[in-house]
Amino acid sequence: MANQDLERGGTKARNNNYPQGNYSNPYYVETSEHQWTSWLIPMFVVANIAMFVVAMYVNNCPKNNLDFERGCVAKFLGRLSFQPLKENPLFGPSSSTLEKLGALEWYKIVHGNEGWRLITCIWLHAGVIHLLANMLSLVFIGIRLEQQFGFVRVGLIYLIAGLGGSILSSLFIRSNISVGASGALFGLLGAMLSELLTNWTIYTNKAAALFTLIIIIAINLAVGILPHVDNFAHIGGFLAGFLLGFILLLRPQFGWLESRNLPANARVKSKHTAYQYILLLIALVFLVVGFTVGLVMLFKGENGNKHCSWCHYLSCVPTSKWRYIHPNNSNSRCRPSNHNPSHHQLFDSRPSSPHTHCFSYLFP
C-alpha cells in the first residue's frame, strides 16, 4: 500500500544507484525509510467493534423496548437485536444506551463533571451502518499512515483529533448527544493534507495529490450538512489533525538521507527545511491556543452559537428537505422539514432537553 500511494503522490527517487525498476515508478516510496508494520489501527478497529457489541448487549432491545407497535429488528439475535428502525435507522441501540455508555452530552460534561465523555464518545457508534462506514475509512486511511509514520504518531493524531472534534461539537451542540469516530478520522485526513504540504519538496505529482485530497475532504465535509450528522465534530477533528500533521509528520528534506554517505562538504546540512520548522512552530501555537480556549469556554458553559451567529450553517444548510432550528438561541439543530418530534428522541428529567442521535458519519 505504501508503494502505491496515489493520494500522497509518491516521493522523489533520491539515489541514482537504485535499479531502474524501483525509482521509475512515479509513486515509489524510497526503501531507505523505515516502513512500519501496522498493528494499532487494526486494534482500534477491533476495539470499536467490541464496544458496539457491548452497546447492543447493554441495550437488550427485547427487554427494554416498550413500544409494542414497533418491535425489535433481527429478533433472532436475542438481546443483541436492534432498536426499531423508526427509532434508529442505522441498525443500532437506543439513544439512552449510548448516553449510558458515554455518548457526548454537553450538560453532563459541564454540569455533571463527566469530561471523560469527550473521549469515550469516539469509541461508540449509532449502528451497524455507522460502524462499517467509519471502520472501512479507518482501515483505508489509518493503515497507510501507520505504515509510513509509526503507531505513536498516528495514535496521537487519532486520539487528539477525536478530542478536538468532541470539544468543538460540545460548544455548538448542547441538547443532542453525539457518537462516532468521525472526528478522529477527519483528523487523519487533515494530517494527510498537512503532511503533503510540509513535505512538499520530496513528492512528485504534487498538484494531482493535493487536488485529490481536497476533493475527498470536501465531499466528506459536505455530508455533514445532512440532518443528524455532527459536522462540528468533523471540522474540529480535521483542524486538530491538520495542525498535528505539521508537528508530527515531518520527513527529511530531499537528499538528506543519501548525503550522510557523502563527504562533509557535500552533505545537506539540515535534516529539515526552514519552512518546515516555521510551519511546525505556527501549528503548535495554534493547537495549544485552540485547545486551551476551547476547553475553557466549554467548562465555563459558554455557548459557541452566541459567539458565532453564522456557524450553524457549517452543520446545517436549510433546503426544501430540511430546515435549521435554533430553539431559545441555545443550540443548533438540522431537522427534516417533515420531522416528527416523537422519532429519535429521549426525554430526561431536565425540562426542554430532548436528546437526539447526532450521528457523525464519515463518507468512506
Side-chain angles (χ1 to χ4, degrees):
M1 193 175 290
N3 293 329
Q4 296 289 335
D5 203 343
L6 300 179
E7 293 178 8
R8 297 153 68 91
T11 58
K12 291 181 178 179
R14 297 187 178 186
N15 194 327
N16 291 333
N17 293 326
Y18 287 139
Q20 178 69 27
N22 284 341
Y23 68 84
S24 61
N25 186 337
Y27 303 116
Y28 169 70
V29 176
E30 59 188 88
T31 56
S32 57
E33 288 189 3
H34 178 68
Q35 296 295 304
W36 299 78
T37 299
S38 176
W39 64 267
L40 183 65
I41 294 300
M43 288 297 294
F44 281 171
V45 173
V46 171
N48 277 280
I49 294 174
M51 279 303 305
F52 182 73
V53 173
V54 169
M56 296 308 306
Y57 184 85
V58 173
N59 186 67
N60 196 1
C61 181
K63 179 181 179 181
N64 298 321
N65 179 36
L66 302 179
D67 189 346
F68 297 101
E69 295 182 0
R70 294 176 290 178
C72 302
V73 178
K75 294 181 180 179
F76 64 89
L77 294 175
R79 68 181 295 156
L80 299 181
S81 58
F82 310 120
Q83 290 296 115
L85 294 182
K86 288 187 177 181
E87 180 181 348
N88 186 343
L90 299 183
F91 299 95
S94 66
S95 56
S96 58
T97 297
L98 294 172
E99 180 187 358
K100 182 189 304 182
L101 293 177
L104 190 67
E105 184 188 355
W106 173 85
Y107 187 90
K108 290 190 175 182
I109 291 173
V110 177
H111 299 289
N113 297 319
E114 297 181 4
W116 46 269
R117 289 179 178 271
L118 294 169
I119 293 294
T120 56
C121 67
I122 69 177
W123 303 98
L124 297 171
H125 286 83
V128 173
I129 297 174
H130 189 202
L131 178 68
L132 286 176
N134 278 352
M135 292 306 99
L136 286 173
S137 300
L138 178 57
V139 167
F140 287 125
I141 299 171
I143 287 181
R144 179 175 301 178
L145 282 176
E146 187 180 356
Q147 287 174 337
Q148 296 180 353
F149 295 100
F151 69 93
V152 174
R153 288 184 280 185
V154 173
L156 285 173
I157 292 171
Y158 184 88
L159 295 175
I160 296 174
L163 175 62
S166 297
I167 293 172
L168 191 65
S169 175
S170 298
L171 286 172
F172 287 92
I173 299 177
R174 305 185 69 173
S175 65
N176 295 28
I177 65 171
S178 178
V179 295
S182 297
L185 292 169
F186 267 89
L188 296 181
L189 278 176
M192 289 180 67
L193 179 59
S194 56
E195 189 275 327
L196 174 63
L197 295 175
T198 195
N199 301 318
W200 186 256
T201 60
I202 71 172
Y203 287 114
T204 58
N205 303 319
K206 303 164 189 165
L210 181 62
F211 179 77
T212 302
L213 266 178
I214 291 176
I215 292 298
I216 292 172
I217 293 167
I219 291 175
N220 279 278
L221 288 175
V223 173
I225 67 174
L226 297 173
H228 302 300
V229 180
D230 184 358
N231 212 27
F232 288 113
H234 295 176
I235 296 170
F238 174 79
L239 292 176
F242 181 71
L243 295 174
L244 285 166
F246 290 116
I247 299 169
L248 297 177
L249 303 186
L250 275 70
R251 290 180 183 269
Q253 64 171 306
F254 179 71
W256 183 82
L257 290 172
E258 290 73 18
S259 70
R260 292 179 297 177
N261 300 320
L262 298 176
N265 60 351
R267 294 176 185 174
V268 175
K269 300 191 183 302
S270 176
K271 184 177 181 179
H272 300 104
T273 62
Y275 81 85
Q276 285 179 306
Y277 289 119
I278 293 173
L279 289 175
L280 184 154
L281 181 61
I282 294 173
L284 182 61
V285 171
F286 273 97
L287 187 70
V288 172
V289 171
F291 269 87
T292 302
V293 172
L295 286 170
V296 169
M297 289 182 63
L298 175 60
F299 286 103
K300 285 181 63 178
E302 294 287 338
N303 181 6
N305 294 289
K306 292 183 178 179
H307 297 276
C308 180
S309 60
W310 56 268
C311 284
H312 62 270
Y313 291 113
L314 297 175
S315 191
C316 179
V317 176
T319 69
S320 59
K321 299 296 182 181
W322 60 81
R323 68 186 187 278
Y324 168 72
I325 302 176
H326 203 312
N328 302 322
N329 294 320
S330 64
N331 184 42
S332 301
R333 298 186 192 179
C334 197
R335 296 274 181 82
S337 297
N338 59 350
H339 174 71
N340 184 342
S342 65
H343 294 167
H344 308 292
Q345 289 191 358
L346 170 71
F347 292 91
D348 66 5
S349 59
R350 298 190 306 277
S352 302
S353 59
H355 291 177
T356 68
H357 286 306
C358 196
F359 307 131
S360 48
Y361 298 113
L362 178 70
F363 193 79

